[in-house]
Amino acid sequence: MKRLPKRLLGVLVALAVMVAIDVAVSIDRYGDGMVSPWQAVEVNLLHDTVQLEADDDGVLFLTDHDWTGEELVELGCVETDRMGTLGFYVAPDGRTFSVNDLNEWCWLFRLHRLKGATLEELGLHA
């Protein structure tokens, strides 16, 4: 009976190692070289979005894997058109912007490119 706690601890440690390996592989494979383990944890446990970079092409941001853009509608934005993974929106202030849901996604996160606005301007956490 004394071996049961040790065996249970061994199973839990093995499970934690397997999950950590899967997370590392997913980040390497789908993170496009930009996602850190902390960002994957942050977007799944602490915040709805995490900004990765902002440049002339727009804002690259991270969400959890099942983000659909409904958060934008809840903030008062209106989706005016959709072409596959690319959605076009009008913000409450009249500004037009687009969100492209990139193909890089896994069970932990999904990457998106926002053009025409910033996460802060839309009321999304950055």
Side-chain angles (χ1 to χ4, degrees), residues 65-84:
H65 76 283
D66 61 355
W67 193 81
T68 61
E70 281 299 313
E71 294 82 356
L72 294 170
V73 174
E74 291 171 5
L75 292 170
C77 299
V78 177
E79 185 174 35
T80 59
D81 196 10
R82 177 156 291 276
M83 294 174 27

Side-chain angles (χ1 to χ4, degrees), residues 107-123:
W107 65 276
L108 283 171
F109 57 81
R110 186 163 192 180
L111 294 173
H112 310 269
R113 174 118 6 229
L114 170 65
K115 291 185 180 182
T118 66
L119 294 175
E120 294 88 5
E121 291 169 341
L122 297 175

Side-chain angles (χ1 to χ4, degrees), residues 35-91:
V35 179
S36 71
W38 170 248
Q39 290 167 325
V41 169
E42 184 179 1
V43 81
N44 281 283
L45 299 178
L46 303 174
H47 305 292
D48 293 332
T49 61
V50 174
Q51 181 173 315
L52 299 177
E53 69 178 23
D55 56 25
D56 293 339
D57 286 335
V59 176
L60 183 66
F61 69 101
L62 189 68
T63 64
D64 67 357
H65 76 283
D66 61 355
W67 193 81
T68 61
E70 281 299 313
E71 294 82 356
L72 294 170
V73 174
E74 291 171 5
L75 292 170
C77 299
V78 177
E79 185 174 35
T80 59
D81 196 10
R82 177 156 291 276
M83 294 174 27
T85 60
L86 181 60
F88 297 91
Y89 297 87
V90 175

